[in-house]
Amino acid sequence: MNIGGFQKNSLIDFPGQIAAVVFTPGCNFICPYCHNPELAAGKVTASAWDPEAVMAFLEKRRGMLQGVAITGGEPTLQKDLVDFCERIKQMGYKIKLDSNGTRPKVLTELFDRNLVDYLAMDIKTDLAHYPEVMKGGDKDVDRIRESVALIKTAAPAYEFRTTCARPFVSRQIMPEIGALISGAALYILQPCSQNVAVLDPDFPKDGSHFFTNDEMTELKSLVAPFVNEVRIR
């Protein structure tokens, strides 16, 4: 398991749980607004944290921490993610996984083995525009649809979430996203921040990419008919 970063405790990364956070490097997406640019770009070539050191820390914190959130980058690209999760679960921790949904077979194995308690899937845009954020030649958007359906039926608890930035989100695109995740229990809209380092340094320079509070409220109203609950975070 390649670990690019480790946060010893967090109150915000795993709903309802005091959790440690594991960051994995590498991603198969190229979202220009990504807030973890070095991890996404795979610039962490060797583990910044020894996995055994992480395991030792978690062992010592049993009874004090409740969960572990695994994020990235894209964690499902890690070949030993399932084994890593299994070791964490054996200590009695709950696990939250963040994913972009491009590897539904990995998600299926995790669900089948009861290794994930909460799944947060990023919905980047509607299916027609997904190729704009997907890296390389493998741009099979059917895997996104498959993961959405899988999560709605197999995840013990979940959320879908979208970082709202033009041109990936618009008044026209939002109902298409709603149709994609129709019936979802929870959908989170996150305004894209202009004040953090991102994968494309030029992206924040163009203010037209960003939504005002009133515009975020309008986006929420456009998707609300499709899901059980929608929030702006």
Side-chain angles (χ1 to χ4, degrees):
M1 185 77 169
N2 196 0
I3 300 176
F6 183 62
Q7 185 176 334
K8 293 183 177 180
N9 60 76
S10 170
L11 299 176
I12 61 173
D13 288 276
F14 191 156
Q17 308 293 321
I18 302 171
V21 186
V22 173
F23 298 87
T24 66
C27 188
N28 50 358
F29 278 13
I30 49 171
C31 307
Y33 53 78
C34 177
H35 291 180
N36 287 325
E38 291 195 358
L39 285 171
K43 292 182 179 179
V44 183
T45 56
S47 286
W49 277 80
D50 178 357
E52 294 307 318
V54 170
M55 291 296 176
F57 173 85
L58 294 176
E59 181 66 35
K60 290 179 181 178
R61 293 300 189 274
R62 290 173 70 173
M64 290 178 277
L65 290 173
Q66 300 167 314
V68 178
I70 305 174
T71 187
E74 173 50 41
T76 62
L77 298 178
Q78 299 291 319
K79 63 181 180 180
D80 45 1
L81 174 65
V82 173
D83 292 340
F84 186 76
C85 290
E86 191 161 42
R87 291 183 65 186
I88 293 173
K89 290 293 285 185
Q90 287 171 353
M91 294 185 201
Y93 288 104
K94 294 183 178 181
I95 294 177
K96 171 180 175 277
L97 180 70
D98 295 345
S99 177
N100 61 25
T102 52
R103 304 195 74 194
K105 290 183 179 179
V106 176
L107 299 182
T108 296
E109 184 175 2
L110 289 166
F111 291 145
D112 287 348
R113 296 171 66 168
N114 298 313
L115 296 178
V116 172
D117 300 278
Y118 195 102
L119 197 295
M121 178 177 166
D122 290 305
I123 304 294
K124 305 298 184 180
T125 183
D126 64 348
L127 291 180
H129 291 87
Y130 251 92
E132 297 176 16
V133 296
M134 301 175 87
K135 185 186 296 183
D138 188 6
K139 298 185 178 183
D140 180 6
V141 298
D142 286 339
R143 289 177 296 159
I144 303 299
R145 194 194 310 272
E146 183 179 347
S147 288
V148 168
L150 172 68
I151 290 164
K152 288 194 293 184
T153 57
Y158 69 89
E159 67 184 52
F160 297 109
R161 61 192 185 189
T162 296
T163 298
C164 297
R166 297 183 179 93
F168 312 105
V169 171
S170 68
R171 294 180 71 258
Q172 293 73 34
I173 287 174
M174 189 54 66
E176 297 297 325
I177 294 177
L180 172 64
I181 62 171
S182 180
L186 177 61
Y187 183 41
I188 304 291
L189 300 178
Q190 305 173 149
C192 186
S193 175
Q194 291 180 264
N195 302 313
V196 297
V198 295
L199 189 62
D200 180 356
D202 291 328
F203 191 82
K205 297 176 183 178
D206 184 350
S208 68
H209 291 305
F210 304 95
F211 291 94
T212 66
N213 290 339
D214 287 345
E215 288 171 330
M216 290 294 301
T217 299
E218 182 183 17
L219 295 177
K220 177 182 177 182
S221 69
L222 290 169
V223 77
F226 295 91
V227 298
N228 292 336
E229 182 180 1
V230 57
R231 302 176 193 164
I232 298 174
R233 180 176 289 161

